Amino acid sequence: MAQTLGEDLVLSSELQDDSSSLGSDSELSGPGPYRQADRYGFIGGNSAELGPGQPSADLIRQREMKWVEMTSHWEKTMSRRYKKELAAAPGDPQWMETIGRDLHRQFPLHEMFVSPQGHGQQGLLQILKAYTLYRPEQGYCQAQGPVAAVLLMHLPPEEAFWCLVQICEVYLPGYYGPHMEAVQLDAEVFMALLRRLLPRVYQHLQQVGVGPLLYLPEWFLCLFTRSLPFPTVLRIWDAFLSEGAKVLFRVGLTLMRLALGTVEQRAACPGLLETLGALRAIPPTQLQEEAFMSQVHSVALSERDLQREIRIQLAQLPKSSPGPAPLPQARLPGAQAIFESQQLARIRGSTKPEIPRIVVQPPEEPRPPRRKPQTRGKTFHGLLTRARGPPIEGPSRSHRGSTSFLDTRF
């Protein structure tokens, strides 16, 4: 039975610790002495099996196919554009320098990103450069680095790029632009949900002065890749790409409950620094994917609840806020809604929409009744013989208004 928020978390001692497969960490500069990579590609990680009857390669391939199915609905014209205009074109020198400085920070302990000249870092450079060319008005955001790196671990560069486009523009529009207006709105929404679902945790954060912008951008912008064990990150992504942004709020609420849910935990955090440290120091055994995701899915937050709170907080935003206003209606709740929206847009934007039409023709003039042909005793063999032989004698053409069955040539 899934545990609800506010209940104690019971974990099995048999769960294995995958804490070595942590996400992107800007404080790490690279791997130590070579050790064997775990099942996710992290050097020195846990190489435990996935489970009986489930080879790791099969599970990875299933995830790849599902992610592409849920996020990538591009056409051949878009593929040609990527190859000719985005991948081959030189990037803006300013963005290229900034991206180049961040490459070694993305999963430095993963075998794909160990070498600066390896296919991992070079592929990541191409994807991030392509996005600055695809959306020059937005450019590059540092949080796109770990997101694109996870995609590149599972997909070829072109598919990873279009999936990144979907995440930035459909799943989380307004997150990665220069103003990050949607992040600020979601921070207010998260605090309102926290006040309703975890009121004691909310009161503690208010007392010690911990605002949502001190922790939420790292969680939501990076899709938890910097904060949680990698197996758990993948499970969160599976749910996020399927159900949309409400999964991020559910995960955030679960982390708050694990870090500050008890009186003893809050008493041990009398100030701002201690509270932020508690959010980063949740025991890895409580972040194991199965037990953690069961709590995430049990959070009492529906899509309707989230949209209602978004409307409330959007109305309360100051009108004089710098930058563009958030557009939460541009964010679609999951893969199915995104697919249907794109199908509808494709039909509306087509020059020749395939919509059936009803054509009304004027009534025809009445014709004289047609005489029934004399076919009694005729056989198919006889028709073929007569068709190859001399013409059949009969009434003149002027007396036959239409072609009869006997005139048909087989």
Side-chain angles (χ1 to χ4, degrees):
M1 182 68 66
Q3 303 290 334
T4 59
L5 284 174
E7 295 179 346
D8 292 332
L9 177 63
V10 180
L11 292 172
S12 171
S13 61
E14 298 178 356
L15 290 176
Q16 299 182 3
D17 182 8
D18 276 311
S19 59
S20 57
S21 299
L22 288 175
S24 174
D25 188 348
S26 60
E27 301 300 324
L28 298 177
S29 59
Y34 177 80
R35 290 180 290 174
Q36 184 178 5
D38 67 4
R39 67 194 189 213
Y40 299 104
F42 289 89
I43 298 174
N46 193 319
S47 58
E49 294 296 330
L50 287 174
Q54 179 60 71
S56 60
D58 290 348
L59 182 59
I60 291 173
R61 184 55 186 161
Q62 291 173 16
R63 175 169 280 124
E64 293 172 0
M65 296 173 64
K66 197 64 178 178
W67 285 7
V68 172
E69 178 184 351
M70 290 190 292
T71 61
S72 303
H73 305 295
W74 64 83
E75 299 176 351
K76 293 182 179 179
T77 55
M78 299 173 68
S79 178
R80 288 194 295 268
R81 181 181 180 185
Y82 174 81
K83 294 177 180 178
K84 293 183 179 180
E85 301 179 18
L86 303 177
D92 184 292
Q94 178 182 357
W95 289 127
M96 295 298 289
E97 180 182 358
T98 305
I99 294 171
R101 289 198 302 263
D102 291 341
L103 290 178
H104 73 280
R105 299 188 176 105
Q106 314 308 331
F107 299 96
L109 295 182
H110 194 279
E111 58 185 358
M112 277 188 65
F113 304 102
V114 169
S115 172
Q117 302 303 322
H119 69 281
Q121 288 198 28
Q122 292 302 309
L124 186 60
L125 175 65
Q126 291 299 318
I127 291 175
L128 297 175
K129 177 209 71 173
Y131 191 83
T132 63
L133 296 174
Y134 185 74
R135 288 288 182 261
E137 70 281 3
Q138 295 187 14
Y140 164 70
C141 174
Q142 279 188 322
Q144 291 174 319
V147 175
V150 173
L151 292 171
L152 197 59
M153 291 179 196
H154 295 82
L155 303 171
E158 182 179 351
E159 294 182 359
F161 169 75
W162 291 118
C163 288
L164 178 65
V165 170
Q166 291 283 81
I167 291 174
C168 295
E169 299 186 357
V170 185
Y171 282 86
L172 299 173
Y175 262 51
Y176 302 97
H179 300 283
M180 297 183 179
E181 62 277 4
V183 179
Q184 300 179 45
L185 173 62
D186 282 351
E188 299 300 325
V189 172
F190 183 80
M191 289 302 291
L193 295 173
L194 197 63
R195 182 172 60 247
R196 178 166 64 88
L197 296 174
L198 294 171
R200 292 184 177 86
V201 175
Y202 171 81
Q203 292 174 2
H204 175 80
L205 295 177
Q206 294 294 96
Q207 291 173 359
V208 300
V210 175
L213 294 180
L214 294 178
Y215 55 86
L216 202 71
E218 181 176 320
W219 288 355
F220 281 24
L221 279 167
C222 300
L223 301 181
F224 298 97
T225 56
R226 288 177 175 264
S227 311
L228 297 175
F230 196 69
T232 307
V233 170
L234 295 181
R235 290 287 298 274
I236 292 172
W237 278 47
D238 291 341
F240 164 69
L241 295 177
S242 176
E243 302 177 42
K246 70 173 179 287
V247 174
L248 304 184
F249 288 90
R250 288 176 174 175
V251 174
L253 292 168
T254 303
L255 291 175
M256 281 293 180
R257 182 266 190 249
L258 292 176
L260 301 169
T262 66
V263 175
E264 293 77 13
Q265 288 172 321
R266 294 190 294 273
C269 302
L272 182 146
L273 294 180
E274 293 85 356
T275 301
L276 291 177
L279 294 178
R280 292 177 173 268
I282 300 174
T285 53
Q286 293 186 329
L287 301 177
Q288 294 294 318
E289 49 186 315
E290 292 297 336
F292 183 79
M293 292 306 296
S294 68
Q295 289 200 93
V296 169
H297 292 308
S298 69
V299 176
L301 177 64
S302 66
E303 185 65 32
R304 180 178 299 178
D305 296 334
L306 179 60
Q307 294 303 322
R308 181 173 59 250
E309 197 60 54
I310 287 176
R311 289 192 296 270
I312 294 173
Q313 298 304 320
L314 185 62
Q316 296 178 0
L317 285 180
K319 303 299 182 182
S320 58
S321 299
L327 298 174
Q329 63 272 19
R331 182 165 64 192
L332 298 178
Q336 183 63 32
I338 292 171
F339 176 76
E340 293 173 356
S341 174
Q342 291 176 339
Q343 291 292 96
L344 182 60
R346 186 176 293 113
I347 293 175
R348 289 177 175 175
S350 175
T351 56
K352 296 181 179 180
E354 298 181 359
I355 301 177
R357 296 182 301 168
I358 300 176
V359 180
V360 179
Q361 296 180 347
E364 298 181 357
E365 296 182 359
R367 296 182 179 180
R370 196 164 116 190
R371 295 173 55 187
K372 183 177 180 181
Q374 298 296 327
T375 60
R376 190 174 182 181
K378 305 294 193 298
T379 63
F380 180 71
H381 177 73
L383 291 177
L384 290 177
T385 305
R386 291 169 184 263
R388 292 192 295 266
I392 304 174
E393 294 184 2
S396 61
R397 283 251 177 227
S398 59
H399 294 91
R400 294 189 292 178
S402 61
T403 304
S404 68
F405 179 75
L406 293 177
D407 292 322
T408 304
R409 297 293 184 261
F410 293 89

